[in-house]
Amino acid sequence: MSVLQVLGIKTDLIKPGDGLAASLEKAMAESGLALQDGDILVISESTLATAEGRVVALHDVTPGPLALSMAARYSKDPREMELILQESDEIMGGIPGVVLTLREGFLYPNAGIDSSNAPPGHVVLFPADAQKSAIKIRERMAKGRRIAVIIGDSRTHPLRLGCVGVALACVGLEPVEDARGQKDLFGRELKITRKAVADNLVSAAQIVMGEGDEGIPAVIIRNAPVSISEVQSAIPSIPPEECMYIGALRSGPRPYTGGYDHLILQAKEAAKDAYAPYSGFLVGAALLSRSGKIYSAGNIENAASGAGICAERAALAKAIASGEREFEAIAIVGNADEPISPCGICRQSLIEFGENIIIIMSNAKGDALTATLADLLPRAFTGKCLR
Ligand code: THU
């Protein structure tokens, strides 16, 4: 009978520029290990990233204004925050010390940037293209044998203490197995179960690898009950709205990380034309229509205070009067300490024209938050409710 084996490959410290495949082959030869048909080679992502030279000296990084303000908000090193911004597509939010980032459809803490297992004063970024590297390593190391290669990382599950394995890249086996259609113990068909085979293999590998100074950056998993094939496709992801965690939790403003700078600028300009002699509180709004045109206005106050109108609704009125009905985004700038929030009436006025309108809320300094209108006005009363 074949017994599942997890065999650690102990290596010398792997440094930038070291050929990873060659280093692993040398270490394996020294400990009398050789790859066999059916073997799965699991390599830690930080080792791959290090060998690829994705190591950055923090003193070479100059944080920009956004990195500085976000570093203060999340109690992080501003230089590390600069790298996080460069390495991620979106920042979902965070807690002191960690921000949750989105990169190419996956969630990572701090964009995968890690100071553990990096030389002092340095951090290791993610591998540039883990899937491509996995394919290359497999080509190089297979030598005619049927093997799979997985690049492994570790992650926590929401509200759980402790990390589990997660595959960043996988070649030579199906990373996710579809168990739908199989029967449960009572003969009922399984409806949503998919087995994260590659992730489970990484978890098994990590029992041997460890995370620290063990010096075991890779393992061979032997006799696993999975079939080795020629699969090269990337690890599959699901869209955020199908993810129960994101679907349930994604609401409320997030830090604005770019894309609408011109709109913010125009809102700032519009605030100069605000008529606010009573409050002295100048607000500007710039509304971007789907046609690409921008309509901007400041707030318009009145001696009879209830007759006043906010900047957002003034901009909206301009746009509607010009024949516009569909909008992409609105930027609002106010001379306040905190990024300014649209009032309840403006949220209601805007949602008439789409709950997905992106709201960018800014103060005069340029600190900004972003949210969709539906985030700011959940379960809104709209025309749909009347039907
Ligand atoms: N105001 C806006 O124009 N937009 C907002 O999002 C909040 C408040 C204006 C209304 C009033 O003229 C002044 O700010 C003080 O409430």
Side-chain angles (χ1 to χ4, degrees):
M1 199 185 73
S2 54
V3 175
L4 182 83
Q5 286 182 303
V6 182
L7 309 163
I9 304 173
K10 203 168 170 58
T11 65
D12 299 331
L13 195 62
I14 292 190
K15 297 181 296 304
D18 284 353
L20 184 54
S23 302
L24 292 176
E25 275 167 344
K26 177 171 166 272
M28 281 163 59
E30 280 167 10
S31 50
L33 279 170
L35 287 168
Q36 299 177 4
D37 256 355
D39 279 355
I40 301 157
L41 181 66
V42 182
I43 303 167
S44 87
E45 66 80 22
S46 66
T47 307
L48 172 63
T50 302
E52 284 181 342
R54 299 269 292 160
V55 181
V56 177
L58 284 175
H59 65 73
D60 290 341
V61 180
T62 311
L66 180 60
L68 287 168
S69 87
M70 289 189 55
R73 181 175 305 146
Y74 294 114
S75 319
K76 290 206 65 74
D77 184 312
R79 301 163 303 176
E80 216 179 310
M81 187 53 86
E82 178 61 42
L83 292 171
I84 292 170
L85 285 166
Q86 288 171 18
E87 289 284 308
S88 61
D89 299 325
E90 195 177 331
I91 294 181
M92 313 286 293
I95 55 169
V98 198
V99 289
L100 183 62
T101 55
L102 200 63
R103 176 187 152 118
E104 289 168 8
F106 287 107
L107 287 176
Y108 302 98
N110 297 329
I113 295 167
D114 206 349
S115 53
S116 50
N117 297 315
H122 292 66
V123 291
V124 186
L125 310 181
F126 253 165
D129 185 341
Q131 188 65 24
K132 203 163 125 194
S133 300
I135 292 169
K136 271 202 188 138
I137 291 168
R138 181 180 188 239
E139 271 167 16
R140 160 88 201 253
M141 294 184 71
K143 305 207 164 79
R145 293 164 298 209
R146 297 174 60 250
I147 63 163
V149 174
I150 297 176
I151 310 301
D153 193 5
S154 56
R155 204 73 88 244
T156 55
H157 286 311
L159 299 181
R160 291 298 299 258
L161 185 63
C163 289
V164 294
V166 57
L168 285 189
C170 174
V171 53
L173 62 85
E174 205 63 69
V176 177
E177 203 179 283
D178 198 343
R180 287 172 304 171
Q182 289 177 20
K183 297 278 187 321
D184 74 2
L185 287 173
F186 298 94
R188 283 173 304 224
E189 232 178 60
L190 297 173
K191 289 229 158 54
I192 47 176
T193 306
R194 271 111 153 170
K195 267 198 259 179
V197 176
D199 291 351
N200 292 339
L201 289 164
V202 176
S203 278
Q206 281 177 350
I207 291 174
V208 173
M209 271 200 242
E211 296 254 9
D213 61 0
E214 292 88 344
I216 302 177
V219 305
I220 298 166
I221 300 183
R222 187 160 289 167
N223 299 327
V226 299
S227 48
I228 305 296
S229 61
E230 288 307 308
V231 184
Q232 294 206 346
S233 50
I235 307 283
S237 67
I238 54 173
E241 58 276 14
E242 283 176 30
C243 165
M244 68 167 176
Y245 295 113
I246 299 300
L249 303 175
R250 188 172 184 167
S251 65
R254 301 177 287 286
Y256 166 76
T257 54
Y260 292 101
D261 289 0
H262 63 300
L263 209 57
I264 296 177
L265 213 66
Q266 216 148 313
K268 217 171 173 173
E269 279 301 306
K272 291 181 186 158
D273 290 324
Y275 175 73
Y278 302 100
S279 70
F281 189 71
L282 304 182
V283 183
L287 180 61
L288 173 63
S289 74
R290 291 251 172 239
S291 69
K293 290 207 191 98
I294 295 174
Y295 300 85
S296 62
N299 49 334
I300 307 165
E301 294 187 343
N302 194 282
S305 52
I309 171 170
C310 295
E312 297 89 321
R313 271 175 294 144
L316 180 65
K318 236 171 135 178
I320 298 298
S322 308
E324 300 285 359
R325 294 292 183 269
E326 286 177 24
F327 304 99
E328 178 179 328
I330 184 168
I332 310 147
V333 179
N335 58 349
D337 286 334
E338 285 296 310
I340 186 170
S341 260
C343 79
I345 300 177
C346 288
R347 294 179 195 200
Q348 183 65 33
S349 295
L350 285 164
I351 212 158
E352 183 71 19
F353 300 100
E355 56 179 14
N356 294 322
I357 298 173
I358 296 163
I359 316 284
I360 301 115
M361 298 159 275
S362 179
N363 63 8
K365 272 193 301 180
D367 296 332
L369 296 170
T370 183
T372 66
L373 190 46
D375 287 338
L376 295 187
L377 195 58
R379 288 194 52 80
F381 182 81
T382 64
K384 276 188 232 148
C385 311
L386 289 175
R387 262 168 241 139

